[in-house]
Amino acid sequence: MFTVIDIKEALALEKTLFIDVRSPSEYEDGTILGAINIPILDDSERAIIGTIYKKESKDKATVTGLNLVSHKLPNLYETIRAYSKEYDYIIIFCWRGGMRSRSVCNLLSMLDIPNIYQLKDGYKGYRRHVINYLENDILKYHFIVLHGVTGVGKTHILEELKKEDIPILNLEEMAQNSGSVFGDLVFEKKPPSQKNFESLLFHKMHSFKESYIFIESESKRIGNVQIPDHLYHHMMQKYHILIETNLENRVNVILKDYIHHLDQNHEKIKKSLDHLRKRLGNKWVDTLIQKVDEKNYSYVIEYLMKHYYDPLYKYSIEQYEYDLVIEYKYIKEAVTKLKEFIKNTLNH
């Protein structure tokens, strides 16, 4: 007989594999971080079962479901049996810990696969756990928000802090978008759904041992996703640090971020510039597009900084009182000062 396990117990286990037996569209909409999808029913089959359940009867829907699933069982067994040799815990879940996950667990237990568990309350219970964490448990963290105009290297500073095991949230990487008109150029993965973005936030913070987290100042919406209300409000409440550097450094930071993506996104960059005609005027947009064709990217970056990004972000930077202002020439200087800030402010 298989064991039913709740989400807190399941997340505390090591060498664990979560298997989502819901349909591909349900899995795509949101799943447990790291879970693999072995659907019992595909999307069209699930729609058929749902229609029969509503219009005819539960019994007929069950029989139809058995007929649709029966030919998949040998492959299901072989696949999960192989995983059971690699992982200590195989945790099966569906939407709310109902028939789909229970029937799979029953089958696998009957066939003597020993380390099979059913997730209590399924994905619905996991979502409840994530939402509760993002509304309540995050209150234990002190967020240290890095502010600064485009190109001051906030993301690079976060990555340097991460190398020293200092907790950071790289929200742009998690959202696969930098939140600007060129926001998706440097990211290659498919942006997450809102639910999966929230799962990433939960799992990252859940793993931190310190009481503070460094983040970059962001708007509530980043690309296709948004930071949950409670979390965003709490993030912006505590410590604010302004990062400054010279224009040459800023241009080089942007070149470093985008250099491997510029040529392959040549037409996309020009299309993005077209969207700025109302703000910059036709003459300047035409000039910038010509400079892109000439691959004079430094010119384009410097112009956009001075005439688009800096005026755009001036208000958001001025609305905060800063606990510290760091002006650096080399990024290591900024990292050192941030570590001193932790020591003097949070560890005294």
Side-chain angles (χ1 to χ4, degrees):
M1 185 65 182
F2 64 87
T3 301
V4 177
I5 188 171
D6 69 30
I7 188 62
K8 281 188 178 180
E9 291 178 279
L11 291 173
L13 299 172
E14 296 182 358
K15 292 195 73 176
T16 303
L17 177 66
F18 287 94
I19 298 180
D20 188 340
V21 296
R22 298 174 303 152
S23 67
S25 64
E26 290 175 285
Y27 175 80
E28 189 77 13
D29 181 55
T31 192
I32 296 173
L33 189 68
I36 64 167
N37 188 210
I38 305 180
I40 298 302
L41 299 168
D42 64 28
D43 293 320
S44 60
E45 290 169 339
R46 180 169 170 258
I48 290 167
I49 299 298
T51 301
I52 293 171
Y53 185 91
K54 289 177 184 176
K55 294 187 175 179
E56 299 185 49
S57 70
K58 179 182 177 181
D59 287 343
K60 186 164 183 183
T62 301
V63 171
T64 304
L66 287 170
N67 285 327
L68 290 171
V69 168
S70 59
H71 73 281
K72 303 177 185 179
L73 296 181
N75 183 60
L76 176 81
Y77 167 72
E78 287 293 339
T79 301
I80 296 180
R81 184 169 68 95
Y83 281 127
S84 74
K85 295 175 181 177
E86 186 179 349
Y87 295 91
D88 292 341
Y89 304 92
I90 303 289
I91 302 176
I92 312 288
F93 68 96
C94 56
W95 167 234
R96 55 186 175 191
M99 183 180 290
R100 284 181 287 181
S101 59
R102 186 168 59 248
S103 60
V104 171
C105 289
N106 274 324
L107 172 70
L108 297 172
S109 294
M110 187 174 64
L111 295 172
D112 293 327
I113 297 181
N115 47 345
I116 297 298
Y117 296 77
Q118 183 194 23
L119 184 63
K120 183 182 178 183
D121 299 326
Y123 179 68
K124 188 176 182 181
Y126 168 79
R127 273 291 294 166
R128 210 162 42 231
H129 185 65
V130 168
I131 292 167
N132 179 66
Y133 187 93
L134 296 179
E135 289 184 353
N136 300 305
D137 291 12
I138 49 108
L139 298 176
K140 65 187 177 185
Y141 293 114
H142 300 288
F143 285 93
I144 305 167
V145 187
L146 305 185
H147 299 259
V149 290
T150 299
V152 295
K154 299 183 293 290
T155 302
H156 293 278
I157 290 169
L158 289 181
E159 291 306 314
E160 290 298 319
L161 291 169
K162 183 181 177 182
K163 288 176 186 176
E164 301 198 31
D165 294 323
I166 293 171
I168 65 120
L169 285 179
N170 188 336
L171 297 168
E172 293 180 352
E173 182 181 53
M174 294 163 77
Q176 288 292 290
N177 193 293
S178 65
S180 74
V181 68
F182 305 103
D184 60 345
L185 293 186
V186 299
F187 297 104
E188 296 174 355
K189 295 179 185 175
K190 183 180 177 181
S193 68
Q194 180 64 32
K195 290 176 183 175
N196 283 336
F197 177 65
E198 289 170 15
S199 290
L200 282 166
L201 288 168
F202 161 70
H203 283 275
K204 278 282 187 186
M205 287 188 283
H206 191 260
S207 70
F208 293 147
K209 295 179 176 62
E210 303 289 353
S211 63
Y212 58 87
I213 302 172
F214 281 93
I215 60 169
E216 183 177 341
S217 176
E218 300 285 356
S219 59
K220 193 167 181 294
R221 175 167 288 279
I222 311 172
N224 296 322
V225 298
Q226 61 181 23
I227 302 167
D229 289 340
H230 285 81
L231 177 58
Y232 185 74
H233 177 71
H234 184 60
M235 280 177 169
M236 305 310 289
Q237 266 187 335
K238 203 62 179 175
Y239 299 105
H240 298 273
I241 295 176
L242 181 62
I243 307 294
E244 297 179 335
T245 192
N246 58 55
L247 185 61
E248 182 183 355
N249 268 353
R250 292 172 60 199
V251 171
N252 288 334
V253 163
I254 298 299
L255 276 174
K256 182 179 177 182
D257 287 343
Y258 284 86
I259 194 67
H260 300 300
H261 309 274
L262 292 173
D263 289 342
Q264 67 195 59
N265 287 291
H266 196 78
E267 295 305 315
K268 196 172 183 180
I269 293 168
K270 294 199 290 185
K271 191 173 180 181
S272 296
L273 286 168
D274 267 328
H275 294 153
L276 301 179
R277 288 186 180 277
K278 190 174 180 181
R279 183 177 288 270
L280 299 178
N282 289 329
K283 177 187 172 184
W284 275 110
V285 169
D286 289 340
T287 299
L288 293 175
I289 287 173
Q290 181 185 335
K291 295 296 182 183
V292 169
D293 285 332
E294 295 168 2
K295 298 189 178 181
N296 189 351
Y297 297 119
S298 293
Y299 181 96
V300 176
I301 292 166
E302 184 171 333
Y303 182 88
L304 288 174
M305 281 180 174
K306 288 179 178 178
H307 301 281
Y308 177 67
Y309 286 109
D310 287 3
L312 189 66
Y313 293 113
K314 186 172 185 282
Y315 170 75
S316 64
I317 287 173
E318 288 178 347
Q319 67 178 307
Y320 294 99
E321 289 185 11
Y322 293 100
D323 299 279
L324 178 66
V325 176
I326 297 174
E327 185 172 356
Y328 76 89
K329 184 176 181 181
Y330 301 104
I331 212 159
K332 289 286 187 184
E333 298 169 7
V335 172
T336 299
K337 289 180 180 179
L338 289 171
K339 287 162 67 179
E340 289 172 358
F341 178 81
I342 298 169
K343 184 178 178 181
N344 296 334
T345 309
L346 298 174
N347 294 339
H348 61 272

Short mmCIF file of all heavy atoms in Angstrom, two decimals, residues 113-153:
data_model
loop_
_atom_site.label_atom_id
_atom_site.label_comp_id
_atom_site.label_asym_id
_atom_site.label_seq_id
_atom_site.Cartn_x
_atom_site.Cartn_y
_atom_site.Cartn_z
N ILE A 113 6.25 -1.62 -6.62
CA ILE A 113 7.21 -0.52 -6.59
C ILE A 113 7.09 0.09 -5.20
O ILE A 113 6.05 0.64 -4.84
CB ILE A 113 6.93 0.52 -7.70
CG1 ILE A 113 7.09 -0.13 -9.08
CG2 ILE A 113 7.89 1.71 -7.56
CD1 ILE A 113 6.87 0.79 -10.24
N PRO A 114 8.13 0.03 -4.38
CA PRO A 114 7.99 0.31 -2.94
C PRO A 114 7.94 1.77 -2.52
O PRO A 114 7.28 2.12 -1.55
CB PRO A 114 9.23 -0.36 -2.34
CG PRO A 114 10.25 -0.30 -3.45
CD PRO A 114 9.49 -0.43 -4.73
N ASN A 115 8.63 2.65 -3.22
CA ASN A 115 8.82 4.02 -2.73
C ASN A 115 7.85 5.02 -3.38
O ASN A 115 8.22 6.09 -3.81
CB ASN A 115 10.26 4.47 -2.91
CG ASN A 115 10.80 4.17 -4.31
OD1 ASN A 115 10.23 3.39 -5.05
ND2 ASN A 115 11.92 4.78 -4.65
N ILE A 116 6.58 4.63 -3.45
CA ILE A 116 5.55 5.45 -4.08
C ILE A 116 4.73 6.18 -3.02
O ILE A 116 4.28 5.58 -2.04
CB ILE A 116 4.61 4.58 -4.95
CG1 ILE A 116 5.40 3.93 -6.09
CG2 ILE A 116 3.44 5.40 -5.49
CD1 ILE A 116 6.03 4.91 -7.05
N TYR A 117 4.55 7.49 -3.23
CA TYR A 117 3.78 8.31 -2.31
C TYR A 117 2.76 9.13 -3.10
O TYR A 117 3.04 9.57 -4.22
CB TYR A 117 4.69 9.27 -1.53
CG TYR A 117 5.68 8.57 -0.64
CD1 TYR A 117 6.82 7.97 -1.18
CD2 TYR A 117 5.49 8.50 0.74
CE1 TYR A 117 7.74 7.31 -0.37
CE2 TYR A 117 6.39 7.85 1.56
CZ TYR A 117 7.51 7.26 1.00
OH TYR A 117 8.42 6.60 1.81
N GLN A 118 1.60 9.34 -2.50
CA GLN A 118 0.62 10.25 -3.09
C GLN A 118 0.64 11.56 -2.32
O GLN A 118 0.64 11.57 -1.08
CB GLN A 118 -0.80 9.67 -3.03
CG GLN A 118 -1.84 10.57 -3.71
CD GLN A 118 -3.29 10.20 -3.38
OE1 GLN A 118 -3.55 9.57 -2.36
NE2 GLN A 118 -4.21 10.57 -4.26
N LEU A 119 0.68 12.68 -3.06
CA LEU A 119 0.70 13.99 -2.41
C LEU A 119 -0.70 14.37 -1.94
O LEU A 119 -1.62 14.49 -2.74
CB LEU A 119 1.24 15.06 -3.36
CG LEU A 119 1.40 16.45 -2.77
CD1 LEU A 119 2.44 16.45 -1.65
CD2 LEU A 119 1.80 17.46 -3.86
N LYS A 120 -0.83 14.56 -0.65
CA LYS A 120 -2.12 14.96 -0.07
C LYS A 120 -2.56 16.31 -0.64
O LYS A 120 -1.78 17.24 -0.72
CB LYS A 120 -1.98 15.06 1.45
CG LYS A 120 -3.28 15.40 2.17
CD LYS A 120 -3.05 15.53 3.67
CE LYS A 120 -4.34 15.92 4.37
NZ LYS A 120 -4.12 16.13 5.83
N ASP A 121 -3.80 16.37 -1.07
CA ASP A 121 -4.40 17.60 -1.63
C ASP A 121 -3.77 18.05 -2.94
O ASP A 121 -4.13 19.11 -3.47
CB ASP A 121 -4.35 18.76 -0.63
CG ASP A 121 -5.14 18.44 0.65
OD1 ASP A 121 -6.16 17.73 0.55
OD2 ASP A 121 -4.72 18.89 1.72
N GLY A 122 -2.85 17.27 -3.49
CA GLY A 122 -2.32 17.49 -4.82
C GLY A 122 -1.71 18.87 -5.05
O GLY A 122 -1.23 19.53 -4.14
N TYR A 123 -1.76 19.28 -6.33
CA TYR A 123 -1.19 20.57 -6.69
C TYR A 123 -1.92 21.72 -6.01
O TYR A 123 -1.32 22.74 -5.66
CB TYR A 123 -1.23 20.76 -8.21
CG TYR A 123 -0.66 22.09 -8.66
CD1 TYR A 123 0.70 22.37 -8.53
CD2 TYR A 123 -1.49 23.09 -9.18
CE1 TYR A 123 1.22 23.60 -8.92
CE2 TYR A 123 -0.97 24.32 -9.57
CZ TYR A 123 0.38 24.57 -9.44
OH TYR A 123 0.89 25.79 -9.81
N LYS A 124 -3.22 21.54 -5.78
CA LYS A 124 -4.01 22.57 -5.10
C LYS A 124 -3.45 22.85 -3.70
O LYS A 124 -3.34 24.01 -3.28
CB LYS A 124 -5.47 22.14 -5.02
CG LYS A 124 -6.41 23.21 -4.52
CD LYS A 124 -7.85 22.73 -4.55
CE LYS A 124 -8.80 23.84 -4.10
NZ LYS A 124 -10.22 23.37 -4.11
N GLY A 125 -3.08 21.79 -2.99
CA GLY A 125 -2.49 21.94 -1.66
C GLY A 125 -1.12 22.61 -1.73
O GLY A 125 -0.77 23.43 -0.86
N TYR A 126 -0.34 22.26 -2.75
CA TYR A 126 0.97 22.89 -2.95
C TYR A 126 0.82 24.38 -3.21
O TYR A 126 1.53 25.21 -2.63
CB TYR A 126 1.69 22.21 -4.12
CG TYR A 126 2.91 22.93 -4.63
CD1 TYR A 126 4.12 22.84 -3.96
CD2 TYR A 126 2.85 23.70 -5.79
CE1 TYR A 126 5.25 23.50 -4.43
CE2 TYR A 126 3.97 24.36 -6.27
CZ TYR A 126 5.18 24.26 -5.59
OH TYR A 126 6.28 24.92 -6.06
N ARG A 127 -0.14 24.74 -4.07
CA ARG A 127 -0.37 26.16 -4.37
C ARG A 127 -0.77 26.94 -3.11
O ARG A 127 -0.32 28.06 -2.88
CB ARG A 127 -1.49 26.31 -5.41
CG ARG A 127 -1.01 26.23 -6.83
CD ARG A 127 -0.18 27.39 -7.25
NE ARG A 127 -0.90 28.65 -7.29
CZ ARG A 127 -0.32 29.84 -7.37
NH1 ARG A 127 1.00 29.94 -7.38
NH2 ARG A 127 -1.03 30.95 -7.41
N ARG A 128 -1.60 26.31 -2.30
CA ARG A 128 -2.02 26.94 -1.04
C ARG A 128 -0.80 27.20 -0.16
O ARG A 128 -0.66 28.26 0.46
CB ARG A 128 -3.03 26.02 -0.34
CG ARG A 128 -4.05 26.72 0.50
CD ARG A 128 -5.25 25.87 0.82
NE ARG A 128 -4.94 24.50 1.16
CZ ARG A 128 -5.50 23.44 0.59
NH1 ARG A 128 -6.41 23.59 -0.36
NH2 ARG A 128 -5.19 22.22 0.96
N HIS A 129 0.11 26.23 -0.12
CA HIS A 129 1.33 26.33 0.67
C HIS A 129 2.22 27.47 0.15
O HIS A 129 2.76 28.26 0.93
CB HIS A 129 2.07 24.99 0.62
CG HIS A 129 3.28 24.92 1.49
ND1 HIS A 129 3.22 24.97 2.86
CD2 HIS A 129 4.60 24.80 1.17
CE1 HIS A 129 4.45 24.88 3.37
NE2 HIS A 129 5.30 24.78 2.36
N VAL A 130 2.37 27.56 -1.17
CA VAL A 130 3.19 28.60 -1.79
C VAL A 130 2.60 29.98 -1.51
O VAL A 130 3.32 30.92 -1.12
CB VAL A 130 3.30 28.36 -3.32
CG1 VAL A 130 3.91 29.59 -4.02
CG2 VAL A 130 4.14 27.12 -3.60
N ILE A 131 1.30 30.13 -1.72
CA ILE A 131 0.65 31.43 -1.51
C ILE A 131 0.76 31.87 -0.06
O ILE A 131 1.05 33.03 0.24
CB ILE A 131 -0.83 31.37 -1.96
CG1 ILE A 131 -0.89 31.21 -3.49
CG2 ILE A 131 -1.59 32.62 -1.52
CD1 ILE A 131 -2.26 30.84 -4.02
N ASN A 132 0.56 30.94 0.86
CA ASN A 132 0.68 31.27 2.28
C ASN A 132 2.10 31.74 2.61
O ASN A 132 2.29 32.71 3.36
CB ASN A 132 0.32 30.05 3.13
CG ASN A 132 0.46 30.35 4.62
OD1 ASN A 132 -0.28 31.16 5.18
ND2 ASN A 132 1.41 29.71 5.27
N TYR A 133 3.09 31.07 2.04
CA TYR A 133 4.49 31.46 2.27
C TYR A 133 4.75 32.87 1.75
O TYR A 133 5.37 33.70 2.43
CB TYR A 133 5.42 30.46 1.59
CG TYR A 133 6.89 30.68 1.90
CD1 TYR A 133 7.50 30.01 2.94
CD2 TYR A 133 7.65 31.58 1.15
CE1 TYR A 133 8.84 30.22 3.25
CE2 TYR A 133 8.99 31.79 1.45
CZ TYR A 133 9.58 31.11 2.50
OH TYR A 133 10.90 31.34 2.79
N LEU A 134 4.28 33.15 0.53
CA LEU A 134 4.54 34.44 -0.11
C LEU A 134 3.75 35.58 0.53
O LEU A 134 4.06 36.76 0.31
CB LEU A 134 4.23 34.37 -1.60
CG LEU A 134 5.12 33.42 -2.43
CD1 LEU A 134 4.71 33.43 -3.88
CD2 LEU A 134 6.60 33.77 -2.28
N GLU A 135 2.74 35.23 1.33
CA GLU A 135 1.97 36.27 2.03
C GLU A 135 2.41 36.45 3.48
O GLU A 135 2.34 37.56 4.01
CB GLU A 135 0.48 35.92 1.99
CG GLU A 135 -0.14 36.07 0.61
CD GLU A 135 -1.64 35.81 0.62
OE1 GLU A 135 -2.18 35.39 1.67
OE2 GLU A 135 -2.27 36.00 -0.44
N ASN A 136 2.87 35.36 4.11
CA ASN A 136 3.13 35.41 5.55
C ASN A 136 4.58 35.11 5.94
O ASN A 136 5.20 35.89 6.68
CB ASN A 136 2.19 34.45 6.27
CG ASN A 136 0.73 34.81 6.03
OD1 ASN A 136 0.31 35.93 6.29
ND2 ASN A 136 -0.06 33.87 5.54
N ASP A 137 5.13 34.03 5.44
CA ASP A 137 6.47 33.62 5.88
C ASP A 137 7.57 34.57 5.41
O ASP A 137 8.65 34.61 6.01
CB ASP A 137 6.78 32.20 5.38
CG ASP A 137 5.93 31.15 6.07
OD1 ASP A 137 4.97 31.54 6.75
OD2 ASP A 137 6.22 29.96 5.93
N ILE A 138 7.30 35.33 4.35
CA ILE A 138 8.32 36.26 3.84
C ILE A 138 8.57 37.42 4.80
O ILE A 138 9.55 38.14 4.65
CB ILE A 138 7.93 36.80 2.45
CG1 ILE A 138 6.49 37.30 2.43
CG2 ILE A 138 8.14 35.76 1.38
CD1 ILE A 138 6.37 38.77 2.37
N LEU A 139 7.72 37.59 5.80
CA LEU A 139 7.87 38.71 6.73
C LEU A 139 9.14 38.59 7.57
O LEU A 139 9.61 39.57 8.14
CB LEU A 139 6.65 38.81 7.65
CG LEU A 139 5.31 39.09 6.94
CD1 LEU A 139 4.18 39.07 7.95
CD2 LEU A 139 5.36 40.40 6.19
N LYS A 140 9.73 37.40 7.61
CA LYS A 140 10.95 37.21 8.40
C LYS A 140 12.19 37.77 7.68
O LYS A 140 13.26 37.89 8.29
CB LYS A 140 11.16 35.72 8.69
CG LYS A 140 11.42 34.86 7.47
CD LYS A 140 11.45 33.39 7.82
CE LYS A 140 11.64 32.51 6.59
NZ LYS A 140 11.56 31.08 6.90
N TYR A 141 12.06 38.10 6.39
CA TYR A 141 13.23 38.56 5.63
C TYR A 141 13.34 40.08 5.60
O TYR A 141 12.35 40.79 5.51
CB TYR A 141 13.14 38.06 4.18
CG TYR A 141 13.27 36.57 4.04
CD1 TYR A 141 12.20 35.79 3.59
CD2 TYR A 141 14.46 35.91 4.37
CE1 TYR A 141 12.31 34.42 3.46
CE2 TYR A 141 14.57 34.53 4.24
CZ TYR A 141 13.50 33.80 3.79
OH TYR A 141 13.60 32.43 3.67
N HIS A 142 14.60 40.55 5.66
CA HIS A 142 14.90 41.95 5.40
C HIS A 142 15.38 42.03 3.95
O HIS A 142 16.41 41.46 3.61
CB HIS A 142 16.01 42.45 6.33
CG HIS A 142 15.69 42.34 7.78
ND1 HIS A 142 14.77 43.15 8.40
CD2 HIS A 142 16.15 41.50 8.74
CE1 HIS A 142 14.67 42.82 9.68
NE2 HIS A 142 15.51 41.82 9.91
N PHE A 143 14.64 42.74 3.14
CA PHE A 143 15.04 42.90 1.73
C PHE A 143 15.90 44.14 1.58
O PHE A 143 15.57 45.22 2.09
CB PHE A 143 13.82 42.99 0.82
CG PHE A 143 13.15 41.66 0.61
CD1 PHE A 143 12.10 41.27 1.43
CD2 PHE A 143 13.58 40.81 -0.38
CE1 PHE A 143 11.49 40.03 1.26
CE2 PHE A 143 12.97 39.57 -0.58
CZ PHE A 143 11.92 39.19 0.25
N ILE A 144 17.02 43.98 0.88
CA ILE A 144 17.93 45.09 0.61
C ILE A 144 17.84 45.35 -0.89
O ILE A 144 18.26 44.52 -1.70
CB ILE A 144 19.37 44.75 1.02
CG1 ILE A 144 19.41 44.31 2.49
CG2 ILE A 144 20.29 45.93 0.78
CD1 ILE A 144 20.71 43.67 2.91
N VAL A 145 17.25 46.49 -1.26
CA VAL A 145 16.92 46.78 -2.65
C VAL A 145 17.99 47.66 -3.28
O VAL A 145 18.31 48.75 -2.77
CB VAL A 145 15.55 47.48 -2.76
CG1 VAL A 145 15.14 47.61 -4.23
CG2 VAL A 145 14.49 46.70 -1.98
N LEU A 146 18.55 47.19 -4.39
CA LEU A 146 19.56 47.96 -5.13
C LEU A 146 18.88 48.80 -6.21
O LEU A 146 18.16 48.26 -7.05
CB LEU A 146 20.59 47.03 -5.78
CG LEU A 146 21.31 46.04 -4.86
CD1 LEU A 146 22.38 45.27 -5.65
CD2 LEU A 146 21.94 46.74 -3.66
N HIS A 147 19.10 50.10 -6.16
CA HIS A 147 18.53 51.02 -7.14
C HIS A 147 19.64 51.60 -8.00
O HIS A 147 20.80 51.60 -7.60
CB HIS A 147 17.81 52.17 -6.43
CG HIS A 147 16.66 51.76 -5.56
ND1 HIS A 147 15.34 51.86 -5.96
CD2 HIS A 147 16.63 51.24 -4.31
CE1 HIS A 147 14.55 51.44 -4.98
NE2 HIS A 147 15.31 51.06 -3.97
N GLY A 148 19.25 52.15 -9.13
CA GLY A 148 20.23 52.81 -9.99
C GLY A 148 19.71 52.86 -11.41
O GLY A 148 18.85 52.05 -11.80
N VAL A 149 20.25 53.77 -12.20
CA VAL A 149 19.82 53.91 -13.59
C VAL A 149 20.32 52.71 -14.40
O VAL A 149 21.15 51.92 -13.94
CB VAL A 149 20.33 55.23 -14.20
CG1 VAL A 149 19.60 56.42 -13.59
CG2 VAL A 149 21.84 55.36 -14.03
N THR A 150 19.83 52.60 -15.61
CA THR A 150 20.19 51.49 -16.50
C THR A 150 21.71 51.42 -16.69
O THR A 150 22.36 52.44 -16.96
CB THR A 150 19.51 51.68 -17.87
OG1 THR A 150 18.11 51.68 -17.68
CG2 THR A 150 19.90 50.57 -18.83
N GLY A 151 22.24 50.21 -16.52
CA GLY A 151 23.66 49.99 -16.81
C GLY A 151 24.60 50.16 -15.64
O GLY A 151 25.81 49.99 -15.81
N VAL A 152 24.08 50.47 -14.45
CA VAL A 152 25.01 50.61 -13.31
C VAL A 152 25.49 49.26 -12.79
O VAL A 152 26.35 49.20 -11.92
CB VAL A 152 24.41 51.43 -12.14
CG1 VAL A 152 24.14 52.86 -12.56
CG2 VAL A 152 23.16 50.78 -11.58
N GLY A 153 24.94 48.18 -13.33
CA GLY A 153 25.47 46.86 -12.99
C GLY A 153 24.79 46.18 -11.81
O GLY A 153 25.41 45.34 -11.14
#
